[in-house]
Amino acid sequence: MPPEPPSHAIDRLDDDDYPAYTMGRAAEMIGATPGFLRAIGEARLITPLRSEGGHRRYSRYQLRIAARARELVDGGTPIEAACRIVILEDQLEEALRLNEELRGGRPER
């Protein structure tokens, strides 16, 4: 990725989807191995972006997803099942958010 002008780079610090972390740093942050990140990538739980040099780069959002999968795997859930659970949890969270938005923030009766 080419260097960004300073003002754009600073704006990216608050962007949850900006691929700011290398594989090594991402693995360290969630207490996993690079192999775990590759495995959940192969299971299509997350798809890291690639730098111009072909290196995987992860966003904060992807790290939260990966950390949740790691919790499930550490609890004994097979990686494929953990990935499916995380996907379903994420879809449910988004559906609930959209539902609330459509109701205009009104509580359910």
Side-chain angles (χ1 to χ4, degrees), residues 57-104:
R57 304 284 295 192
Y58 297 88
S59 69
R60 287 187 301 197
Y61 171 76
Q62 289 173 324
L63 293 184
R64 283 195 303 275
I65 296 291
R68 176 64 180 132
R70 183 178 171 268
E71 286 175 15
L72 292 167
V73 169
D74 286 352
T77 305
I79 196 161
E80 296 82 14
C83 289
R84 186 68 184 138
I85 289 167
V86 173
I87 289 167
L88 291 170
E89 287 175 343
D90 195 50
Q91 289 172 342
L92 176 60
E93 184 178 316
E94 179 67 7
L96 291 171
R97 185 191 66 74
L98 287 171
N99 194 18
E100 184 68 22
E101 210 174 90
L102 290 171
R103 290 185 183 167

Side-chain angles (χ1 to χ4, degrees), residues 7-89:
S7 64
H8 289 94
I10 291 170
D11 292 342
R12 293 292 192 172
L13 294 176
D14 293 329
D15 185 349
D16 229 20
D17 296 316
Y18 183 69
Y21 304 99
T22 63
M23 177 180 274
R25 180 68 179 128
E28 180 183 307
M29 289 173 70
I30 66 167
T33 64
F36 177 79
L37 290 174
R38 280 190 291 276
I40 63 174
E42 289 169 12
R44 297 188 177 172
L45 177 60
I46 58 174
T47 303
L49 284 130
R50 298 281 182 149
S51 68
E52 285 185 18
H55 300 284
R56 291 173 179 92
R57 304 284 295 192
Y58 297 88
S59 69
R60 287 187 301 197
Y61 171 76
Q62 289 173 324
L63 293 184
R64 283 195 303 275
I65 296 291
R68 176 64 180 132
R70 183 178 171 268
E71 286 175 15
L72 292 167
V73 169
D74 286 352
T77 305
I79 196 161
E80 296 82 14
C83 289
R84 186 68 184 138
I85 289 167
V86 173
I87 289 167
L88 291 170
E89 287 175 343

